[in-house]
Amino acid sequence: MGLPFLDSFSAAAGRGVWHADELGLADAQVVATGHAALDAELPGGGWPVGAMTELLLPAPEAHVWRLLLPALAQAVATRGGPVVLIGAPYEPCGASLAAQGVPVEALMWVRSEAPAARLWACEQALRCADVSAVVAWLPQARVGELRRLQLAAAQHEVLLFVCRPESVALSASPARLRIRADRSQADVSQIELNILKRRGPPLAAPVMLPARNERMAALLAAARLRRKLRLQQRGTVPAGAASATVVRIDAWKGGPDALDRLAVVA
């Protein structure tokens, strides 16, 4: 009996081999990000389930909800469990989150300033079968600690997002996916997403994402128009004149909240 040709082995093996110049396929479940331009650049077309996604941010609260809310809403709708927020910098705005698909009863906010306590809470949340997703702010986490969280996420197939400062971009990380998010210098209405680590070739240009969703942009545009009409009726602004104002929706307890309630309207 003759041996099979070497070419048949090569063909079979080639079907499971990832080439570094190609966008890799997801080896596990993914959840769509809700942003088509970003999905097109991610293996499998979404956030990896059972793996760590690391978000590198200029400030702890910057852009998190704009990026994650569509996927968190989908995870809650699919799995039915809570989203656990660990070390969130500000109290989440329940009404705003509920309006975008994440009801108040689906949120669990763990408050702690101690790095060790945050890590412990994150690991316990990942091991809970009822949890839909975990979003943790871990600015001081070390590689070994992140690796343990990555393992826990893989074992229990949970969406895990870890928010860290952009200053750690050059340090090692076990995260399956690393994204640096910042406001575009060329266009402040856009968020610039640099994918630092993925199963695929480096991006030639960052992914651009509107800084506000369509609903928020429409509300702000309507507010601008109403103010302009009021001023025109009072005779304080001539028709057609350019105007600019700063609109502040005050958050309770005197501070900013999770949805960046301070909006500059041009």
Side-chain angles (χ1 to χ4, degrees), residues 51-265:
M52 180 192 302
T53 295
E54 192 174 357
L55 302 178
L56 307 183
L57 309 169
E61 75 281 3
H63 316 309
V64 172
W65 298 109
R66 179 71 183 102
L67 275 173
L68 301 187
L69 264 177
L72 295 180
Q74 183 180 342
V76 169
T78 302
R79 299 187 58 152
V83 173
V84 181
L85 309 175
I86 298 171
Y90 302 113
E91 181 174 349
C93 177
S96 297
L97 293 175
Q100 298 182 70
V102 182
V104 176
E105 58 270 20
L107 291 175
M108 182 179 297
W109 183 24
V110 179
R111 301 177 64 179
S112 177
E113 295 299 325
R118 290 190 185 187
L119 286 166
W120 181 86
C122 188
E123 190 167 358
Q124 298 308 308
L126 291 171
R127 296 182 185 282
C128 180
D130 293 332
V131 168
S132 294
V134 176
V135 184
W137 282 259
L138 305 174
Q140 301 172 341
R142 296 187 290 268
V143 173
E145 295 166 336
L146 295 175
R147 189 174 293 115
R148 193 168 67 243
L149 296 180
Q150 162 70 23
L151 180 60
Q155 289 175 338
H156 301 278
E157 298 184 345
V158 179
L159 270 174
L160 171 60
F161 301 96
V162 173
C163 303
R164 303 182 71 203
E166 59 183 1
S167 59
V168 303
L170 298 180
S171 63
S173 171
R176 177 80 59 84
L177 178 65
R178 298 186 89 193
I179 296 179
R180 183 174 62 213
D182 203 353
R183 188 65 62 92
S184 171
Q185 297 297 318
D187 183 356
V188 295
S189 69
Q190 299 285 314
I191 300 173
E192 190 174 281
L193 304 178
N194 289 279
I195 301 178
L196 306 181
K197 182 180 179 181
R198 65 171 181 169
R199 197 176 186 184
L203 281 181
V207 176
M208 305 303 291
L209 183 71
R212 300 186 183 97
N213 61 31
E214 294 180 0
R215 183 176 180 182
M216 179 62 75
L219 288 172
L220 292 174
R224 283 202 304 272
L225 180 60
R226 287 196 300 269
R227 182 179 184 276
K228 185 176 180 179
L229 291 175
R230 284 198 304 269
L231 293 175
Q232 288 175 358
Q233 291 171 356
R234 296 171 187 169
T236 54
V237 176
S243 63
T245 186
V246 175
V247 177
R248 180 176 180 126
I249 307 174
D250 290 323
W252 65 93
K253 299 185 180 178
D257 65 17
L259 289 179
D260 297 331
R261 303 288 290 272
L262 181 62
V264 178
V265 183

